[in-house]
Amino acid sequence: MALNYKQTKLVKDTVPALREHGERIASIFYKNMLRAHPELNNYFNGVNLKNGRQPRALTAVILGFAANINNLAEQIPKFERMCNKHCSLSIRPEHYEIVGEYLIRAYAEVLGPAMTPEVQVAWERAYSMLAKMLIGREAQLYKQFGSWSSWRKFRVDKVVPESADIYSFYLVPQDGKPLPSFLPGQYVSVQVPMPDGYLQARQYSLSEAWRPDYYRISVKRDEGPAYANAVSKSYLHPGAVSNLLIDSVAGAAVDVSHPAGEFFLDTKETGMRPLVLISAGVGVAPMVSIANAVTRSQPGRPISWIHGSRSEQVPFRDHVAQLRAQHPASFRTAVFKSRVVEGIDVPGVTYDFASRVDLARLSPDEDRLFLKHGGTEYFVCGPEAFMHDVSLYLRAQGVAAAHIKIETFSTGDAALEQK
């Protein structure tokens, strides 16, 4: 049921106070909800709960919706990203009911007397409106997934090192049935049991063009800082699932979701507009998928692959070199290495620039950014600060925001705004 004018005003009037106490609200909400429904620990990223990103993201999404309830156009891209992630985690309508109940309780606890019966009814309707929007979009996505709408058992057929800290996993479905196609750039979620008894899932970009017999993901080892915990520090760092996967042996069984994600190349668009793939670190994974798909279906389409690496070995270096050799007229590359190894690295062979990615160093004569072509599509994936810098540079060169596609798996908004 839609909100009337008075209810809309009541909701908007409480947004400043709720923003001010956002983290406290989220803390109360998660504590109470997970105490009553511990099974939901299987759905939330435990690391982001500990470091505060999950609570901040929840607050930002709901209050952003409330503040813009009369004009939701700017919120749609955020909702689309959220819905894709929810479907990859098998979130269902009943989960929204639980979230809504404990969220309103947290609002009431923090607002105190300001949470009058009228305000509570207004917020209940506002949340219901948001939930119905998201549930409706997720129903569409689940319908597209067909019979594979939850987790499916896969076997890790083999693990191939791509660099010192990036590994490709070849995932084969245990049921032996052909795998559905996906759009290059999309991801799957991989779910594994953790030492605390709960399940944890993470999203990993597919790093190969579609094949019916296996999916390939590429995973980076991350020994990031452990967050203090009275019980254990072992799995409270950003690489909790990734490191567990890497340390497991080939042949292990994992649960995998249907491919999803709003970061992709539209393969139905068969034009020959140039593509510029800009990545850093494991952000190269979706770029390989896109490059493989395009060189297979549109071998003459101009592609520029720009990558930044700190590893001794640039991931997928030999494969990218092979693509360049096979398509010399249309496939261009530029490799930035911030750690050049003397006696191993050769300029023009293993790297092009001895620095972090700096697009300004690319020669205009070589036109590896295709800036003179107004229709060029730019795909950017890597650390948030990297994506922010790349986006700012491209915008400064006159590239329209609509032509810059950013991939982020982080909870909440990326560190950049394309306005």
Side-chain angles (χ1 to χ4, degrees), residues 95-114:
H95 297 135
Y96 282 94
E97 295 180 16
I98 297 172
V99 168
E101 175 186 349
Y102 287 91
L103 185 68
I104 300 302
R105 286 189 191 180
Y107 284 179
E109 182 173 337
V110 171
L111 289 178

Side-chain angles (χ1 to χ4, degrees), residues 272-302:
M272 296 297 284
R273 293 186 296 170
L275 296 173
V276 179
L277 313 178
I278 308 174
S279 57
V282 75
V284 68
M287 307 310 183
V288 175
S289 177
I290 293 172
N292 286 355
V294 173
T295 54
R296 181 185 301 172
S297 62
Q298 297 175 281
R301 187 170 183 176

Side-chain angles (χ1 to χ4, degrees), residues 11-12 21 43 68 74-75 81 86-87 129 131 148 154 232 281 285 334 352-353 381 392 395 409:
V11 167
K12 286 189 170 184
H21 301 287
Y43 295 90
N68 298 279
E74 290 189 8
Q75 305 297 309
R81 178 157 63 96
H86 281 179
C87 289
M129 179 179 170
W148 180 11
F154 278 66
S232 170
D352 298 291
F353 302 96
C381 188
L392 286 179
R395 293 302 308 280
F409 294 125

Side-chain angles (χ1 to χ4, degrees), residues 144 180-187 206 208-210 258-268 286 289-290 293:
Q144 293 173 14
S181 62
F182 57 85
L183 295 169
Q186 290 190 305
Y187 60 77
L206 292 151
E208 171 61 288
W210 172 74
H258 190 285
E262 81 292 353
F263 177 86
F264 58 79
L265 174 71
D266 185 358
T267 53
K268 293 180 182 178
S289 177
I290 293 172

Side-chain angles (χ1 to χ4, degrees), residues 302-336:
I303 299 177
S304 187
W305 182 77
I306 300 166
H307 182 71
S309 177
R310 291 187 299 176
S311 300
E312 290 186 9
Q313 179 182 347
V314 176
F316 298 102
R317 184 189 70 192
D318 293 342
H319 177 70
V320 171
Q322 183 179 25
L323 290 179
R324 185 176 58 195
Q326 292 171 344
H327 307 278
S330 59
F331 198 95
R332 310 176 188 185
T333 65
V335 176
F336 290 80

Side-chain angles (χ1 to χ4, degrees), residues 107-368:
Y107 284 179
E109 182 173 337
V110 171
L111 289 178
M115 188 70 155
T116 65
E118 283 186 310
V119 172
Q120 180 166 331
V121 169
W123 261 107
E124 287 172 349
R125 288 192 176 184
Y127 176 80
S128 177
M129 179 179 170
L130 173 61
K132 287 178 179 178
M133 288 175 54
L134 299 179
I135 290 171
R137 175 56 181 146
E138 287 162 19
Q140 293 176 335
L141 291 172
Y142 280 128
K143 186 175 181 180
Q144 293 173 14
F145 291 178
S147 60
W148 180 11
S149 62
S150 186
W151 299 105
R152 184 173 173 182
K153 287 290 183 185
F154 278 66
R155 175 176 54 84
V156 179
D157 186 56
K158 61 180 177 179
V159 181
V160 176
E162 304 292 355
S163 69
D165 57 359
I166 297 176
Y167 301 80
S168 285
F169 288 70
Y170 290 73
L171 306 175
V172 177
Q174 287 191 349
D175 59 19
K177 295 180 181 179
L179 294 170
S181 62
F182 57 85
L183 295 169
Q186 290 190 305
Y187 60 77
V188 294
S189 285
V190 176
Q191 179 179 256
V192 296
M194 304 301 288
D196 62 5
Y198 291 111
L199 300 169
Q200 284 284 278
R202 298 291 187 271
Q203 291 70 51
Y204 298 103
S205 295
L206 292 151
S207 59
E208 171 61 288
W210 172 74
R211 294 177 54 99
D213 51 342
Y214 70 82
Y215 286 157
R216 186 178 74 183
I217 61 173
S218 297
V219 181
K220 181 180 183 295
R221 180 181 290 282
D222 187 352
E223 301 289 4
Y227 295 97
N229 180 276
V231 179
S232 170
K233 293 184 178 180
S234 300
Y235 289 89
L236 294 180
H237 54 71
V241 175
S242 298
N243 295 349
L244 191 63
L245 282 173
I246 291 170
D247 292 334
S248 65
V249 297
V254 293
D255 290 326
V256 178
S257 74
H258 190 285
E262 81 292 353
F263 177 86
F264 58 79
L265 174 71
D266 185 358
T267 53
K268 293 180 182 178
E269 169 57 59
T270 57
M272 296 297 284
R273 293 186 296 170
L275 296 173
V276 179
L277 313 178
I278 308 174
S279 57
V282 75
V284 68
M287 307 310 183
V288 175
S289 177
I290 293 172
N292 286 355
V294 173
T295 54
R296 181 185 301 172
S297 62
Q298 297 175 281
R301 187 170 183 176
I303 299 177
S304 187
W305 182 77
I306 300 166
H307 182 71
S309 177
R310 291 187 299 176
S311 300
E312 290 186 9
Q313 179 182 347
V314 176
F316 298 102
R317 184 189 70 192
D318 293 342
H319 177 70
V320 171
Q322 183 179 25
L323 290 179
R324 185 176 58 195
Q326 292 171 344
H327 307 278
S330 59
F331 198 95
R332 310 176 188 185
T333 65
V335 176
F336 290 80
K337 285 199 71 175
S338 56
R339 297 176 182 174
V340 175
V341 182
E342 187 175 352
I344 296 178
D345 283 314
V346 180
V349 178
T350 62
Y351 74 98
D352 298 291
F353 302 96
S355 71
R356 299 174 64 182
V357 173
D358 181 358
L359 300 181
R361 297 187 65 182
L362 298 176
S363 171
D365 296 334
E366 296 178 354
D367 198 23
R368 278 181 277 201

